[in-house]
Amino acid sequence: MADSLNSWIYFILFIWIFLETAFIFFSFLPGQSVLFLTSTVAASETSHLNIIALFLIFVSSATLGAMVKYYYGLTMDSRNHIAKKINNSDQMSQTEDFFDQHADNSLLFARFIPFIGLFVPIIAGTSQMNWRRFNLLNFAGVLIWVGTCCFIGYYFGNTPFIKKYFTIIFTLLAIVPTLSGVLFRYYRQRQAA
């Protein structure tokens, strides 16, 4: 499919990762698994995907996406219906606690933690974090996230194990973060009851 779309695949992937990182509404889109999947495909000798182009596209789209969330947090109006839902969610309060204790590390590594990473740029905005500091940490965090996912996908994508179980691995990467979020919410509700 990537080969049949030619250069359009890069545009589609840019939009995909941008939407997933910029808007809570699109958080259902699998981000990490797409980074891994496309990097694995790029490792194939028959693929036209270029790993350097993928890396640059993913870095730019994820960086811009987080900047949109930061700006949303900076200008969030608590009277807004969507803002109220976000502010009152368990994930938001959990992320705020994490952010208060580890502001820098949360921007660097929270993308690897299901659901927590979704809210960190918003909290950076609502807490009035310095714009330059946010951009520096956000960019470094994106480099770590994209670099790790692309490296693993590209350099381990051609191993017999990955080739054999590719569909299962991709499915797990897409489902496990969502499932862990649902189970965590269920656990919190049981504790509160």
Side-chain angles (χ1 to χ4, degrees):
M1 187 175 104
D3 291 341
S4 65
L5 289 169
N6 297 318
S7 299
W8 282 101
I9 189 67
Y10 295 113
F11 177 73
I12 291 166
L13 290 170
F14 179 91
I15 296 298
W16 183 293
I17 297 299
F18 175 76
L19 290 175
E20 192 264 339
T21 54
F23 304 104
I24 298 289
F25 181 75
F26 288 102
S27 60
F28 65 89
L29 293 172
Q32 279 179 186
S33 50
V34 166
L35 267 62
F36 175 80
L37 166 74
T38 52
S39 300
T40 302
V41 172
S44 170
E45 293 175 8
T46 58
S47 174
H48 295 293
L49 285 178
N50 182 290
I51 191 63
I52 304 296
L54 287 174
F55 178 80
L56 294 173
I57 281 163
F58 291 145
V59 166
S60 57
S61 59
T63 302
L64 287 171
M67 288 167 77
V68 169
K69 273 188 184 165
Y70 172 88
Y71 182 74
Y72 178 74
L74 202 62
T75 59
M76 192 180 333
D77 183 356
S78 59
R79 293 166 296 177
N80 181 301
H81 175 68
I82 296 170
K84 278 183 185 172
K85 284 188 89 170
I86 292 171
N87 273 330
N88 296 332
S89 68
D90 286 341
Q91 292 89 356
M92 185 68 160
S93 59
Q94 182 190 0
T95 308
E96 281 175 337
D97 293 342
F98 185 79
F99 189 82
D100 289 342
Q101 295 172 34
H102 316 283
D104 291 359
N105 286 335
S106 62
L107 279 166
L108 292 174
F109 304 110
R111 285 175 179 85
F112 293 101
I113 306 169
F115 292 99
I116 297 273
L118 296 173
F119 295 96
V120 166
I122 296 173
I123 293 165
T126 56
S127 65
Q128 308 286 312
M129 179 183 251
N130 179 274
W131 174 245
R132 264 184 87 177
R133 184 174 164 222
F134 169 79
N135 278 326
L136 182 66
L137 290 167
N138 175 48
F139 185 67
V142 168
L143 286 178
I144 293 168
W145 182 59
V146 173
T148 302
C149 294
C150 287
F151 176 83
I152 291 171
Y154 189 75
Y155 287 101
F156 295 100
N158 274 330
T159 60
F161 178 82
I162 299 291
K163 284 182 174 180
K164 185 176 180 182
Y165 298 106
F166 182 79
T167 306
I168 295 168
I169 292 167
F170 178 72
T171 305
L172 286 173
L173 283 170
I175 290 173
V176 167
T178 305
L179 187 61
S180 63
V182 169
L183 292 173
F184 179 77
R185 272 198 301 264
Y186 175 75
Y187 174 75
R188 288 281 294 261
Q189 287 171 354
R190 286 290 298 258
Q191 275 196 323

